[in-house]
Amino acid sequence: MRYFLCLMLLALSTVAQADDWLQFRGTSSPGVVQGPELPESFDQIAWTADLDGRGSSSPIIVGDKVFVTGCEGPRQDRLTVTCFAEADGKQLWKREFWATGRTVCHQKMSVATPTPASDGERIYASYSSNDVACLDLEGNLLWYRGLTYDFPNVSNSLGMSSSVIVKDGTVVCMAENDTQSMTFGLNADDGTTKWQLDRPRGANWTSPIAWPGEESIVLLQSSKGVTAIEPATGKTVWEYLDGAATIPSLTAVNGLVIVPSHGLTALKPGVSDTTVPEIVWQASQLSPSTPSPVVTENYAYVINGAGVLSCGDLSDGKRVWQCRMSGKFSATPLISGDRLYAINEQGNAQVVQLTPEGGEVLNSHEFGETVLATPSAADGAIYVRSDNHLWKIK
């Protein structure tokens, strides 16, 4: 009995908690916080931790640990994963790796733009150099893949930014570009290749998501549209081929896939023909710029290139209202309860009150540094990172 209880305790300690934030834009509903509501402003800073080098990836939170990737050196070829204590921001460990692939990227980006992912037991950190490192939560390296060794033309002169996700034991890595455009399914246990897909040629900075329904499906977005695949095999389940954006990423809620395509397009998996999704609506007035759309049970929210927040009705895509915010945005906002949390590129963080009738900026906070990374949230706290700092707001 004692042995059985020990096994149970061990299992419970390593399984991801409901409030964990395990990947880019969160674990279940991208950008929508499911746990306790977030603070009313960004002023309530609990702690600040120093970061080295550069990085525009989002923090991820697993249990009582916060993980952040970065890159250091004049060539950004020293890749890092740093772990902090969630309680007080103390650095617990830091690991460094040499990049094996190309580290050239646009000056606005960095090699550490892709956000890592976790299955609650391991950290999967990917970089613009197409290096993928897998560590346990204590920082021990479990495996490492330099995809450029096998596919030397998988690169992009502006840098790669697609974040990985892990679904049913498969790490899905999009490495799509103008020359050798591919997406990989890596075995989460050892990093070996389960499958690889030839993908549409064209620079693509979007990130995959897992379909939130019962079926095990991963959705890939590219300039050609959306492809739904089985994560175990890479087999195509259905395709939407009417084009899509290559920077803001798709999301899914209420059985709909909301795609940055012709503004926004809502898709529903097909019934009579399961290989072709049904187009529910298209809304040209809801056109996101760099930030990805955030969708709740009833509304879709997008930020355009002028910093205007638009709210659309999820039932028909009609624009309901607009609200001007300050600045230009790269980071995707978060929604918690009836508030939206957005940070512009100048580090000005704004909280917007959301109602069916309109949006109102309630307050703002100056971080005083450039912020390009999408914030993360767990257990009622917001985590914001710049190149040089990581903040916890609670």
Side-chain angles (χ1 to χ4, degrees):
M1 178 58 77
R2 179 176 298 177
Y3 176 72
F4 175 74
L5 289 174
C6 289
L7 287 178
M8 287 295 291
L9 290 171
L10 178 62
L12 289 171
S13 68
T14 55
V15 172
Q17 302 299 306
D19 288 342
D20 288 350
W21 196 267
L22 301 179
Q23 61 191 36
F24 178 56
R25 298 188 292 158
T27 306
S28 53
S29 302
V32 179
V33 178
Q34 302 296 319
E37 288 197 9
L38 301 181
E40 295 182 355
S41 80
F42 285 88
D43 293 336
Q44 301 165 224
I45 295 177
W47 51 255
T48 303
D50 293 333
L51 298 175
D52 297 319
R54 296 201 59 196
S56 40
S57 57
S58 300
I60 62 171
I61 299 92
V62 186
D64 58 359
K65 296 183 174 70
V66 184
F67 300 89
V68 179
T69 59
C71 55
E72 300 178 22
R75 296 182 178 178
Q76 300 186 38
D77 54 359
R78 285 167 50 205
L79 313 178
T80 64
V81 180
T82 308
C83 175
F84 299 89
E86 173 271 342
D88 57 10
K90 178 183 177 182
Q91 180 176 313
L92 301 177
W93 52 258
K94 180 179 180 180
R95 301 292 179 265
E96 298 184 3
F97 313 96
W98 287 109
T100 65
R102 186 176 185 176
T103 59
V104 175
C105 62
H106 190 278
Q107 61 182 1
K108 184 176 180 180
M109 296 176 57
S110 73
V111 173
T113 294
T115 294
S118 177
D119 53 12
E121 299 178 353
R122 292 167 285 201
I123 304 298
Y124 306 92
S126 67
Y127 302 86
S128 175
S129 57
N130 293 323
D131 290 286
V132 185
C134 174
L135 306 95
D136 65 21
L137 301 186
E138 303 306 317
N140 300 302
L141 181 66
L142 302 179
W143 54 260
Y144 194 95
R145 282 291 304 270
L147 295 173
T148 306
Y149 271 122
D150 299 325
F151 304 95
N153 293 320
V154 176
S155 66
N156 180 334
S157 60
L158 298 178
M160 315 285 273
S161 71
S162 297
S163 300
V164 296
I165 64 169
V166 55
K167 176 67 175 174
D168 296 342
T170 301
V171 183
V172 179
C173 306
M174 294 176 64
E176 303 187 2
N177 57 86
D178 292 314
T179 53
Q180 194 174 16
S181 190
M182 308 187 75
T183 287
F184 301 90
L186 305 182
N187 188 325
D189 291 332
D190 56 18
T192 56
T193 302
K194 283 187 172 181
W195 49 261
Q196 60 195 49
L197 303 177
D198 291 328
R199 295 282 292 155
R201 289 186 179 183
N204 185 8
W205 296 276
T206 66
S207 297
I209 64 168
W211 174 248
E214 295 182 356
E215 293 180 276
S216 183
I217 288 175
V218 167
L219 303 172
L220 310 175
Q221 177 183 329
S222 74
S223 61
K224 299 297 183 184
V226 178
T227 302
I229 63 167
E230 296 176 351
T233 63
K235 178 185 176 182
T236 297
V237 179
W238 57 258
E239 283 190 293
Y240 163 77
L241 297 173
D242 198 21
T246 55
I247 296 179
S249 300
L250 77 178
T251 186
V253 67
N254 287 354
L256 297 176
V257 183
I258 309 300
V259 188
S261 169
H262 305 284
L264 280 189
T265 294
L267 305 175
K268 184 167 66 175
V271 178
S272 57
D273 184 349
T274 58
T275 64
V276 180
E278 173 188 346
I279 297 177
V280 181
W281 50 257
Q282 291 186 317
S284 61
Q285 291 184 317
L286 301 176
S287 186
S289 55
T290 299
S292 300
V294 182
V295 182
T296 64
E297 291 288 320
N298 299 309
Y299 299 103
Y301 299 89
V302 300
I303 300 175
N304 69 15
V308 175
L309 172 68
S310 294
C311 170
D313 192 315
L314 192 60
S315 65
D316 55 16
K318 290 183 179 178
R319 190 170 66 193
V320 181
W321 53 256
Q322 290 184 293
C323 170
R324 178 169 291 280
M325 297 188 293
S326 173
K328 184 177 181 180
F329 294 79
S330 282
T332 295
L334 303 177
I335 289 180
S336 173
D338 57 0
R339 291 189 291 267
L340 179 141
Y341 299 76
I343 308 174
N344 70 21
E345 294 183 355
Q346 290 71 44
N348 177 263
Q350 300 156 60
V351 179
V352 180
Q353 180 72 56
L354 304 174
T355 72
E357 292 75 31
E360 178 187 4
V361 178
L362 293 175
N363 56 66
S364 63
H365 174 89
E366 293 286 353
F367 282 101
E369 299 177 34
T370 298
V371 176
L372 303 178
T374 292
S376 305
D379 194 25
I382 311 170
Y383 296 86
V384 179
R385 71 87 48 95
S386 64
D387 280 341
N388 302 125
H389 293 104
L390 169 67
W391 295 275
K392 177 181 178 180
I393 297 96
K394 188 170 185 178

